[in-house]
Amino acid sequence: MFRRIGKVVVRHPVWTIVAWLIAAVAIVATAPSLPSNSDESSFLPKSYESIKAADLQERAFPSAFTPSAIALYQRADGGRLTADDKKDVARITTELGAKHIDQVQKVVPGQPSEDGKYTLTLVQMDSKNAGQPVQADAAKVLRDDVKQLAKGTDLEVRLGGSAAQALDQQDSSKRGEALIGIGTFVIILVTLLIIFRAPILAFLPLITIGLVSAIANGLISYATKLFDLQANSSVSSILIVVLFGVGTDYFLFLMFRYRERLRAGDEPKEAMINAVGRVGEAIASAAGAVIIAFLALVLSTLGFLKQMGPALAIAVSVTLVAGLTLIPAVVSLIGPKVFWPSKSWQREPANARFAALGRGVRRRPALAAAASGLVLLVLSLGTLGYKATFDLASGSMPKTKESMVVQDEMQKAYSAGAAAPTDVYLSSADGKPLDQAGFDAYARKLGAVDGVASARMSQVNKAGTTADFTVTLKYEASTDKAIDAVGRVRDVAHDNAPQGTEALVGGMSSIYKDIDSAVNHDYRTVFPVAAVLIMVILGLLLRSVVAPWYLIASVGLGFGSTLGATVWIFQDAQNKPGLMFMLPVIMYLFVVAIGTDYNILMIARLREEAREGRDPREAAGMALRHAGPTVAAAGFILAATFATMMLAGNSLLTEMGFAVSFGIAVAAFVMAMFFTPSLTALIGHAAWWPGHADRAEPGAGTDGPSPAADEYQAAGRPG
């Protein structure tokens, strides 16, 4: 099939390129804009308690005051606020409300801090647009206006709260995307120049993948709107890396094989047809594993991951089609001039390092398997100390951003949980008014919970059927202590709810508690489903039941070693409370799915060498010699492009960038180079049971003679 695709594309390269250009123009011109949502509650389905509580609040207290933005005031000299300062704050609050800024519903004064050094202005916005870009725009206007109104006073004022965090996150994301894009471009360009010493070949994947990126983004926008998925600004940064990193991988897989066929004496167009025919199955299987793993995220309960999965699957699908059609068409049109001015493509290099590695694996496969396996196992021990953190806002931007400074200052000046109090809603089950005689006792029981700073009954709805108890925790909303405390609040609230009533606990800590439960659900669902589906792909590719088991086990070890190393470096060494909560899910998918690419390429080449008549150990050594340079180059570029995410300046993308780049390096340079070929050599023909995929097939060799045998003889057959 892949040889037929190669023939069609190579014989009609101009029409293939024109078809891609028409598709790009049509999709980009008509695609809707990609929405973005930074509201954590939108990540959860309606069945979770925190979301039920939020819905109840909207019904029972439609005019309830929930600040979306908080202006924090302090004197420039750091002293206590004077009477004149308080008058200035009152004036600013009044004038700010009189401006009638879009999305702003109420502007009211807040409580001063106990030490008298801080006070607040609280701004309520339209709850229907929480987390949407329009509220980030409103926060920008508020921030500019409040600073302008404070000019000429002794006050310093900063704007924080969820809307301001959305604004700062948006700005940080744009900066991060620019740095990631530039870093990715430079790394790919420089690395390809070093590998091929050919400027056309270095720029070619960047240009073609740029076209692919435009189409993929358009299709993702269509899918997001069609299926009403949640979007998040972090997806754009990840998408850049996936498109250029994975796209360059497939480009390298194809170009290394194209160069090999030219060296074997194929006519240029026939060389490209043979290259697509020989490596197309490996590319399609590798992409299939990635697509399946990403689509497994559809089973996630988190809206953010539900949207990320299909988005990345679409991106990889478009990249796969481009790798099998667009790139072969462009290269076949240019011909061997694509390698200009280098002449090295005309002769086979000695590949001394990879030949030596291949001989080492062939001679001592047990030692190679044990040593590489031990490295992975030791690094995996770090997973035992893994802890999660749920502060997505501070994880998505530097601590120096204004909204983060406000958050930190408020934790010092007020109760740590004051910025995001917990609400317990007690409602009548039969629609009759509540008996308010027991409210004080109920509030005292809530206030006595370990981790609660205070609890009080704050309001009852007009019908008297729902009461709101405001519970202030001792800890900042996203910390483990706050999440544990809100769990205890839930237990007390439920257990002590009077007969005929129901208690629901809402607020940010409650949302984080539910996100924790949702992530644990994803671990139990997404992980095994993705693993099973990848094993099916491997089984279909290799026609084997045995090989997929140890291949997926090796990738699992790669995941464990990656998470363990990330825990040691970012959590333990830097004394952080934990890693971002969605990191293991994302890491699992990238490391398992993309890491499988290199295993597939290596095992496919090993099978090809075995079909030339070599025994399992000899085939493993030859596979490492010939596929090793491709895996090394592709692994380095992909790991380096993911490492550019560390330039974004926020902990989420820094942790993600390190973890995925480290995992890909492990997959390429430990698993694919040593663990997989050495295990396959040890298991021998049994690795392909119940089929005989490693045996020569009648009629094989239609793609032209393989140079492998001559090269192996030239290298010297070790005794």
Side-chain angles (χ1 to χ4, degrees), residues 276-293:
V276 175
R278 282 179 176 255
V279 84
E281 186 180 19
I283 292 176
S285 299
V290 178
I291 292 165
I292 286 292

Side-chain angles (χ1 to χ4, degrees), residues 170-421:
Q170 191 180 86
D171 292 342
S172 179
S173 176
K174 287 177 182 176
R175 175 183 173 275
E177 280 182 39
L179 289 171
I180 289 168
I182 293 168
T184 299
F185 187 92
V186 170
I187 285 169
I188 292 174
L189 183 64
V190 171
T191 307
L192 290 178
L193 280 171
I194 292 171
I195 292 172
F196 293 108
R197 301 179 184 87
I200 297 174
L201 210 53
F203 279 100
L204 188 58
L206 295 170
I207 295 168
T208 54
I209 296 167
L211 179 64
V212 170
S213 175
I215 294 174
N217 275 298
L219 293 175
I220 289 165
S221 297
Y222 275 121
T224 302
K225 185 175 182 180
L226 181 64
F227 297 106
D228 194 26
L229 300 170
Q230 298 293 340
N232 185 275
S233 55
S234 297
V235 173
S236 300
S237 300
I238 299 168
L239 198 61
I240 293 169
V241 178
V242 168
L243 280 165
F244 281 90
V246 174
T248 304
D249 263 13
Y250 299 159
F251 176 81
L252 285 171
F253 290 178
L254 187 67
M255 292 312 301
F256 271 95
R257 186 53 71 100
Y258 175 59
R259 186 175 66 178
E260 183 178 315
R261 298 311 310 164
L262 287 173
R263 287 168 176 167
D266 288 0
E267 181 270 331
K269 289 190 180 296
E270 189 64 23
M272 180 53 74
I273 294 171
N274 286 338
V276 175
R278 282 179 176 255
V279 84
E281 186 180 19
I283 292 176
S285 299
V290 178
I291 292 165
I292 286 292
F294 287 157
L295 284 177
L297 282 177
V298 172
L299 301 175
S300 170
T301 49
L302 294 174
F304 166 64
L305 294 178
K306 271 183 180 289
Q307 191 269 344
M308 179 186 284
L312 296 179
I314 289 168
V316 175
S317 299
V318 178
T319 306
L320 167 63
V321 177
L324 296 177
T325 59
L326 179 61
I327 291 172
V330 174
V331 174
S332 66
L333 204 59
I334 300 171
K337 291 179 182 178
V338 75
F339 296 105
W340 178 87
S342 174
K343 303 288 186 184
S344 61
W345 66 272
Q346 297 173 348
R347 58 188 181 278
E348 181 67 30
N351 277 348
R353 292 187 184 88
F354 292 99
L357 288 175
R359 288 194 295 271
V361 167
R362 187 177 79 84
R363 288 170 174 168
R364 298 180 181 86
L367 178 62
S372 54
L374 185 62
V375 169
L376 298 174
L377 198 58
V378 169
L379 288 173
S380 296
L381 295 176
T383 59
L384 299 175
Y386 168 74
K387 294 178 182 177
T389 183
F390 296 87
D391 190 357
L392 190 60
S394 63
S396 302
M397 68 187 104
K399 286 288 187 182
T400 53
K401 285 290 187 180
E402 186 170 328
S403 59
M404 291 296 97
V405 174
V406 170
Q407 180 174 291
D408 291 342
E409 291 290 329
M410 285 191 65
Q411 287 180 40
K412 296 172 188 173
Y414 297 82
S415 169

Side-chain angles (χ1 to χ4, degrees), residues 388-624:
T389 183
F390 296 87
D391 190 357
L392 190 60
S394 63
S396 302
M397 68 187 104
K399 286 288 187 182
T400 53
K401 285 290 187 180
E402 186 170 328
S403 59
M404 291 296 97
V405 174
V406 170
Q407 180 174 291
D408 291 342
E409 291 290 329
M410 285 191 65
Q411 287 180 40
K412 296 172 188 173
Y414 297 82
S415 169
T422 295
D423 289 285
V424 177
Y425 299 101
L426 191 66
S427 58
S428 170
D430 56 10
K432 295 179 181 179
L434 295 167
D435 180 7
Q436 300 189 20
F439 282 1
D440 288 343
Y442 190 68
R444 284 196 298 272
K445 287 178 181 177
L446 294 173
V449 174
D450 183 27
V452 172
S454 65
R456 61 186 175 84
M457 200 287 289
S458 55
Q459 58 183 330
V460 179
N461 70 335
K462 290 181 180 179
T465 54
T466 302
D468 176 10
F469 294 81
T470 301
V471 178
T472 303
L473 302 179
K474 294 178 181 178
Y475 318 108
E476 195 275 319
S478 65
T479 60
D480 286 341
K481 289 182 176 179
I483 292 167
D484 291 341
V486 88
R488 293 190 291 271
V489 169
R490 281 184 177 182
D491 291 339
V492 171
H494 297 161
D495 294 343
N496 292 278
Q499 189 173 1
T501 65
E502 180 188 17
L504 292 174
V505 180
M508 288 310 302
S509 294
S510 186
I511 289 171
Y512 292 135
K513 176 76 174 174
D514 287 339
I515 287 176
D516 188 26
S517 299
V519 170
N520 289 330
H521 165 273
D522 291 351
Y523 292 158
R524 296 189 300 270
T525 306
V526 177
F527 281 25
V529 168
V532 168
L533 292 175
I534 290 173
M535 284 182 67
V536 169
I537 293 232
L538 290 170
L540 292 172
L541 168 68
L542 304 175
R543 284 86 167 170
S544 166
V545 171
V546 176
W549 284 98
Y550 67 81
L551 288 176
I552 204 70
S554 73
V555 177
L557 271 176
F559 165 75
S561 63
T562 301
L563 181 56
T566 308
V567 167
W568 279 336
I569 291 173
F570 286 93
Q571 184 178 298
D572 297 343
Q574 297 184 23
N575 198 29
K576 287 187 176 181
L579 302 177
M580 200 54 61
F581 68 91
M582 80 276 279
L583 187 65
V585 176
I586 293 171
M587 188 191 306
Y588 175 83
L589 292 166
F590 278 104
V591 173
V592 170
I594 297 178
T596 303
D597 280 11
Y598 305 124
N599 268 343
I600 286 174
L601 187 69
M602 186 62 73
I603 203 80
R605 186 61 191 241
L606 192 153
R607 180 184 61 182
E608 187 178 324
E609 297 297 337
R611 284 175 172 174
E612 297 286 343
R614 296 181 174 82
D615 65 52
R617 293 192 179 197
E618 195 176 319
M622 287 302 298
L624 184 52

